[in-house]
Amino acid sequence: MAGTAQPQLWSARKMRWVLRYYPPLFFQRIVLVHVAEDFRTARVRVKRSLLTRNLNGTTFGGTIYAAADPIFALMYWQALARRGVATQSWLMASRVQYRKPVTTSLALDFSLSAADLDAAEAELRRRGKAVRVHPVEARNEQGAVCAELELVTFLRLLGTPDLPAF
């Protein structure tokens, strides 16, 4: 029967540890500094360093993008697993608006509401797949928005045949 796979549960601590040493994030000084035990909130920090600076001395746009890339997919994967729903998830699409050059470290905050999870679960049970869209702001140390991102996460039930994105 489709969608009957068992969900894989990770602890918040394991998620932080795995992402801390994941090479694409590690070498860009991207750190998951907080993730709630229920995976409904997370905070990512992009540390300013020589490895993240472009020729203008500001943070690479790709570094900012990389900091946001996996987070909602991982949050949905684990938050839904806690509800007994086994999924695969990934970033399907995104839009980024860079607002100002970044000359300090950055913080990105991610949040899923109960309504977000309810809607995703309902769509997964009805169609075997779901598409969710969330905004995120990258803020510098003074709190100014340096980049606005719109992240589109694709979810599918494990055990379902490959489904087209739309």
Side-chain angles (χ1 to χ4, degrees), residues 51-125:
L51 298 176
T52 63
R53 289 186 196 155
N54 61 25
L55 293 175
N56 296 315
T58 60
T59 301
F60 283 107
T63 297
I64 299 167
Y65 179 82
D69 182 331
I71 306 303
F72 275 122
L74 294 171
M75 289 171 66
Y76 271 111
W77 172 53
Q78 284 301 298
L80 290 169
R82 278 151 180 71
R83 292 179 169 205
V85 181
T87 64
Q88 285 183 323
S89 57
W90 57 87
L91 183 68
M92 184 173 106
S94 64
R95 180 190 60 79
V96 182
Q97 291 288 317
Y98 299 102
R99 296 292 179 201
K100 64 185 295 183
V102 179
T103 57
T104 69
S105 294
L106 286 175
L108 293 85
D109 291 310
F110 301 82
S111 179
L112 295 176
S113 67
D116 292 327
L117 293 171
D118 291 344
E121 184 176 357
E123 192 173 350
L124 284 164
R125 296 205 186 279

